[in-house]
Amino acid sequence: MRKINYEKMGIITSIIGATSMAIYGIFMGVYTSSYAILLDGSFNLISAILTIASIIIVSKISKGYTEKHPLGYYMYEVFMILLKGVFILGLIIVSVVSNIEILLLGGRELNLTAMLIYGIPALVINIVTCLICYYAYKKHKTGLLEIEYRAWVINSLITSIVVVSIVVVIFLEGTPFEILKKYIDQILIIILSIFTISMPIHLIKSSFKELMLRQSSDYNKKPFDEFLKSENASDDNDFLAEHLSTFKIGRMRLITIGIKPKNDTMNMKNYKKLKNKIQDKAEEIYINVEVDLLII
């Protein structure tokens, strides 16, 4: 039975969903004069372009190490996450500024019929795509799949504003608050943007730290400390392991351990034996991991 590649499944689903929604959203946004719909279409257009680049990166990562890329293509993965996070953050900032301007100019009348025609099928497509990407992420947790499903969460929320705007405007008809219906679209977008802005900021910060090779803090150090302590207590080893650090680069973990010879000479056989034992220990915890021993 052929093994399912959940990462490619999620990314291809995202490309199909984003491309179709980009065309549909931009057309309907211009037709209905709704900034929410136009934002939805623009968001999907950016997502489609970047996601196509993501699937290229996935194929490169599967090649492993090459002469020109001795550490593999994991940096490209992190850079793509950073880039998409920046685009999402920029889109949110632009949407807030633009909608504040519309509010100050007196709001905008909405084409309810056209928004309804757009909103319901668009929301269904967004939610289905989001769920598929999330399912793929749970099956194969990679940074690229995480940014995809998180992007679709935001996209589904933006699209839901279209439907919520219609409901609110219908309820405002014939009431003393009817004048507010011109502002509903902008108010909801601004509120949503404020609540979701932390998501791209988190992605930008974490991916930037990885690109700068900042030591990772989200790993369980205890198993390694206990293992190295037992190795140092062994009389078979002619060196001591004194310093451990780990770096996360996309889906790859790099673990470096400083070792200090007990004497002026060191047995290379013991060196290789320790490296293999630590590598096996690391692979019990992480899927993609590389261990290096540094003589200090």
Side-chain angles (χ1 to χ4, degrees):
M1 184 175 179
R2 186 177 181 182
K3 187 177 179 181
I4 298 175
N5 189 324
Y6 288 102
E7 185 169 36
K8 284 190 176 182
M9 180 189 76
I11 292 176
I12 291 174
T13 300
S14 184
I15 292 173
I16 295 172
T19 303
S20 58
M21 288 305 302
I23 298 171
Y24 189 37
I26 292 174
F27 172 78
M28 292 299 292
V30 173
Y31 180 71
T32 61
S33 298
S34 169
Y35 192 85
I37 297 178
L38 192 60
L39 174 65
D40 195 20
S42 301
F43 180 90
N44 278 295
L45 180 61
I46 294 172
S47 295
I49 295 172
L50 294 180
T51 306
I52 291 172
S54 295
I55 202 167
I56 296 174
I57 291 174
V58 169
S59 64
K60 292 289 187 180
I61 289 175
S62 63
K63 293 181 178 180
Y65 307 111
T66 64
E67 183 178 349
K68 291 185 178 180
H69 295 84
L71 292 179
Y73 289 82
Y74 301 105
M75 286 290 190
Y76 289 86
E77 178 183 11
V78 182
F79 177 73
M80 181 55 60
I81 295 171
L82 174 65
L83 185 61
K84 197 159 189 176
V86 170
F87 269 106
I88 294 172
L89 178 62
L91 194 61
I92 290 175
I93 293 173
V94 169
S95 71
V96 171
V97 173
S98 300
N99 278 280
I100 289 175
E101 291 179 355
I102 295 173
L103 281 174
L104 296 176
L105 292 174
R108 177 180 291 166
E109 293 287 348
L110 301 177
N111 186 332
L112 297 184
T113 302
M115 287 182 68
L116 186 62
I117 294 173
Y118 169 82
I120 295 177
L123 185 58
V124 171
I125 293 173
N126 278 295
I127 292 176
V128 170
T129 307
C130 180
L131 290 175
I132 294 175
C133 289
Y134 180 71
Y135 173 77
Y137 172 71
K138 296 299 288 184
K139 289 291 185 178
H140 188 63
K141 292 186 176 182
T142 67
L144 291 177
L145 278 179
E146 180 182 8
I147 187 67
E148 288 305 320
Y149 99 76
R150 287 184 180 275
W152 280 103
V153 167
I154 294 179
N155 202 22
S156 298
L157 290 173
I158 292 174
T159 307
S160 67
I161 285 181
V162 176
V163 179
V164 173
S165 298
I166 296 170
V167 175
V168 173
V169 169
I170 291 174
F171 275 100
L172 290 177
E173 291 285 352
T175 70
F177 303 101
E178 186 175 358
I179 191 174
L180 296 177
K181 67 182 185 180
K182 295 193 300 182
Y183 306 99
I184 293 299
D185 194 32
Q186 298 88 58
I187 292 172
L188 291 177
I189 283 290
I190 293 172
I191 293 174
L192 173 63
S193 298
I194 292 172
F195 277 102
T196 58
I197 198 169
S198 61
M199 188 183 295
I201 290 176
H202 168 71
L203 292 169
I204 292 169
K205 286 175 61 178
S206 61
S207 55
F208 180 77
K209 289 178 181 178
E210 290 182 26
L211 284 174
M212 295 298 104
L213 295 179
R214 180 171 174 174
Q215 181 166 233
S216 176
S217 59
D218 61 335
Y219 77 105
N220 188 359
K221 189 177 180 181
K222 187 177 179 180
F224 293 104
D225 286 340
E226 293 177 349
F227 177 78
L228 294 177
K229 185 178 180 180
S230 66
E231 288 296 320
N232 287 339
S234 174
D235 295 332
D236 295 334
N237 293 329
D238 51 2
F239 47 82
L240 297 173
E242 295 189 342
H243 176 71
L244 183 148
S245 60
T246 180
F247 306 93
K248 181 178 178 295
I249 308 174
R251 67 195 68 188
M252 170 59 76
R253 295 273 180 170
L254 298 176
I255 297 175
T256 61
I257 299 173
I259 58 173
K260 184 178 181 180
K262 294 179 180 179
N263 305 306
D264 293 335
T265 60
M266 184 175 64
N267 190 307
M268 184 57 66
K269 183 178 180 180
N270 288 343
Y271 173 90
K272 292 181 178 180
K273 181 181 177 181
L274 178 63
K275 185 179 186 304
N276 291 334
K277 289 175 70 174
I278 297 176
Q279 180 71 39
D280 293 339
K281 183 68 177 178
E283 289 176 356
E284 293 177 4
I285 304 173
Y286 304 114
I287 297 175
N288 298 301
V289 61
E290 186 69 32
V291 174
D292 284 324
L293 301 184
L294 304 178
I295 300 175
I296 57 177

